[in-house]
Amino acid sequence: MSKLIVHIGESITGGGAQSVLRSTMEILKKNESIYEHKLICRASPSNEELIDKTFPVKGDSSFFSNLFSYSNYRKLKRYLYKTKPAIIHIHHYANLSPSILFSIYRYKKHTQVRVVHSVHTFEYLCSHHAAFDYKKNVKCLDCSKKNFKVKIFMRICGPKGFFHSYGKGISSLIASLFLRLKVVDFWTTPSNFLRTKMLNQRHIDEGRVFVLRNPILDSSIGKKNKKVDKNKAFRFVYFGRFSEEKNIDCIIKAFNEVVKENIKCKLMLIGKGNYKQKIKKMVVDLDLIDNIEFIEFLPKKDLEKELRKCDVSLLSSKCYETASMVVVESIQLGLVPIVSNHGGMKEMVECCNAGIKFSDGDYIDLSSKMIESYNNYEHYLDEVEKSKRENLRQFNESRYFKSLIDLYSKI
């Protein structure tokens, strides 16, 4: 008889952790093992076949339900008692509220269930999960060793001001309470960087935290032309969320310096977010309208089609990034990644043995690395092709599937 694993996630629609959950369920459900897999998350019309049970679309739709959603608590508790899983795999639950942890706690008290949490943010280290002080506009892990994190109430360091910071602070305290009650038995992180930071928590020991690289579903994209066509514009691209901590300002300033060198080039900015209007104003002020193109958020297939037209991807985040899949996705699509020299971005470039790093926040250094990538494009593209063939095996489906099954067997 197969053993049931219930997977819990907020959503499988979107990028980041949502994309990883979507890929995980696709991989697990199409490969046979001694385990049966069921997913409970919010509804997603485009991925209905992967979902077995749904949370309410808006929860209780009140401020207090964001701190503790009774409807999500009740839905999950009933589902767990009905299905009786041997393992619970939490993927991400932030906007479902910590009530999810209470449901698991209640079920765990009466069973021998084991619980694993795949961590994709800094939620164990920072009240608002970003490891970034939005008020001071700097990276921050001041709370990483605290079991109960209260500095957010004095600093108001969340991304959306006073009420958002207080809400995140209270939510974090509730989650910490259940985590101290040992609701979770094991953890996975997508990078050694995040694993090391997780070990700052006194109740988490290194024997229970495993690095599990995020998967890629397609590793067979063909080679690109290795020569720069001087008759066409050399294309740099940023794709992702338009938010302050992504530091797109740095990219635009650097690109402005590249344009001054009379290099025929374009910058593509693909995505959406609340920082978009500020970025557009900056483009106008620097008189770069003819050189920079904005493209709205695209579904995965359309995004890949657009990225194949580009040559170099750029990521200049002020925040740490837990494990930047932009690096892996860029390499798979034949782009040379240029990233900030810190956190998960630095680790992924070193892990893949391809790409370029620049000094954190230094747009002059970034511009010099962009020019270098243009002048030595064939060399860097050779690195990308070699990485695709030799190093990215660690991200493929079969390895990811085997790693997960081995983990379930251990716990």
Side-chain angles (χ1 to χ4, degrees):
M1 179 181 288
S2 61
K3 297 180 180 179
L4 175 64
I5 300 177
V6 167
H7 298 260
I8 301 169
E10 180 189 338
S11 171
I12 55 174
T13 301
Q18 289 85 357
S19 175
V20 175
L21 174 57
R22 186 169 62 247
S23 298
T24 298
M25 297 313 301
E26 288 179 17
I27 292 169
L28 289 175
K29 289 200 172 191
K30 75 180 181 182
N31 288 283
E32 293 184 2
S33 71
I34 62 170
Y35 300 101
E36 178 188 0
H37 303 274
K38 292 185 179 294
L39 170 64
I40 176 169
C41 69
R42 288 183 174 173
S44 174
S46 58
N47 295 281
E48 287 181 341
E49 73 283 359
L50 297 177
I51 301 172
D52 300 280
K53 194 73 172 178
T54 59
F55 288 111
V57 175
K58 294 184 179 180
D60 294 328
S61 67
S62 71
F63 172 79
F64 294 104
S65 73
N66 291 324
L67 304 180
F68 191 94
S69 171
Y70 180 73
S71 59
N72 286 340
Y73 159 75
R74 182 178 58 185
K75 177 67 73 75
L76 179 58
K77 189 180 77 166
R78 287 178 175 175
Y79 188 66
L80 294 177
Y81 276 102
K82 178 182 178 181
T83 56
K84 296 180 173 58
I87 296 173
I88 296 172
H89 191 157
I90 307 168
H91 294 267
H92 48 93
Y93 65 87
N95 291 324
L96 298 172
S97 90
S99 63
I100 298 305
L101 298 176
F102 187 38
S103 301
I104 297 170
Y105 173 73
R106 292 288 301 273
Y107 176 72
K108 193 175 183 181
K109 281 182 69 175
H110 303 100
T111 66
Q112 298 297 312
V113 69
R114 303 297 268 170
V115 180
V116 58
H117 183 189
S118 287
V119 185
H120 295 282
T121 71
F122 293 95
E123 60 200 86
Y124 284 83
L125 313 168
C126 170
S127 298
H128 58 79
H129 302 187
F132 192 83
D133 187 327
Y134 286 88
K135 194 171 185 178
K136 294 181 179 179
N137 199 24
V138 294
K139 297 185 289 293
C140 177
L141 281 170
D142 288 357
C143 296
S144 63
K145 295 183 180 180
K146 305 293 183 182
N147 291 326
F148 297 97
K149 303 164 184 60
V150 297
K151 290 184 179 181
I152 193 171
F153 299 111
M154 287 76 80
R155 294 182 174 180
I156 316 301
C157 51
K160 298 178 183 177
F162 181 87
F163 289 107
H164 182 265
S165 294
Y166 259 68
K168 284 292 186 181
I170 295 169
S171 179
S172 173
L173 291 176
I174 296 171
S176 295
L177 173 63
F178 289 116
L179 294 170
R180 291 294 292 165
L181 292 172
K182 299 183 178 179
V183 168
V184 179
D185 301 296
F186 299 91
W187 296 265
T188 73
T189 65
S191 65
N192 284 301
F193 171 74
L194 181 56
R195 180 181 184 273
T196 300
K197 300 303 181 185
M198 286 272 292
L199 294 176
N200 284 342
Q201 289 283 292
R202 276 169 280 182
H203 68 285
I204 298 177
D205 62 78
E206 62 180 353
R208 297 192 292 141
V209 189
F210 306 93
V211 174
L212 179 67
R213 301 290 187 190
N214 292 334
I216 50 174
L217 295 184
D218 188 351
S219 58
S220 59
I221 296 169
K223 293 182 179 180
K224 290 183 67 173
N225 185 355
K226 293 185 181 180
K227 292 184 178 180
V228 176
D229 187 344
K230 299 294 184 181
N231 296 316
K232 293 182 180 180
F234 192 79
R235 289 178 173 244
F236 298 98
V237 62
Y238 166 83
F239 59 102
R241 188 172 69 252
F242 292 167
S243 56
E244 185 174 2
E245 71 274 13
K246 294 296 184 180
N247 205 16
I248 304 171
D249 309 50
C250 181
I251 293 175
I252 295 172
K253 289 177 183 177
F255 180 73
N256 188 44
E257 297 299 313
V258 175
V259 170
K260 290 177 183 178
E261 297 296 319
N262 294 317
I263 294 174
K264 188 176 182 181
C265 57
K266 296 271 289 184
L267 173 61
M268 320 301 292
L269 299 175
I270 305 175
K272 63 180 180 179
N274 55 14
Y275 208 61
K276 190 171 186 177
Q277 292 308 312
K278 290 184 179 180
I279 297 169
K280 282 190 170 183
K281 183 179 185 304
M282 186 177 181
V283 170
V284 173
D285 291 343
L286 291 173
D287 195 24
L288 291 171
I289 297 176
D290 294 334
N291 302 89
I292 297 179
E293 181 179 350
F294 286 85
I295 300 176
E296 290 296 321
F297 173 82
L298 295 171
K300 183 175 174 60
K301 286 186 178 179
D302 295 331
L303 174 62
E304 289 183 354
K305 183 178 179 181
E306 201 64 45
L307 291 176
R308 287 192 193 100
K309 303 174 186 176
C310 301
D311 303 292
V312 172
S313 67
L314 306 169
L315 188 60
S316 60
S317 297
K318 297 177 187 177
C319 55
Y320 284 110
E321 301 282 354
T322 55
S324 177
M325 286 304 286
V326 166
V327 173
V328 183
E329 291 165 357
S330 296
I331 290 171
Q332 286 306 105
L333 292 164
L335 281 75
V336 178
I338 303 180
V339 304
S340 294
N341 190 26
H342 65 247
M345 295 171 286
K346 176 177 182 287
E347 179 177 330
M348 296 307 282
V349 163
E350 292 173 352
C351 178
C352 294
N353 289 320
I356 306 171
K357 297 169 285 188
F358 74 96
S359 299
D360 183 17
D362 187 342
Y363 77 90
I364 296 297
D365 189 39
L366 174 56
S367 67
S368 70
K369 297 297 167 51
M370 292 166 72
I371 293 169
E372 182 182 333
S373 70
Y374 172 80
N375 290 331
N376 300 284
Y377 180 66
E378 294 168 28
H379 164 73
Y380 286 113
L381 196 58
D382 272 337
E383 285 188 349
V384 164
E385 292 299 332
K386 185 182 294 185
S387 174
K388 203 188 301 186
R389 293 193 307 270
E390 297 176 7
N391 297 336
L392 295 186
R393 284 176 294 180
Q394 62 188 307
F395 302 100
N396 67 26
E397 289 186 43
S398 59
R399 179 160 185 164
Y400 184 74
F401 176 72
K402 183 179 183 303
S403 296
L404 268 180
I405 298 303
D406 286 348
L407 173 62
Y408 296 146
S409 300
K410 286 178 184 175
I411 66 176

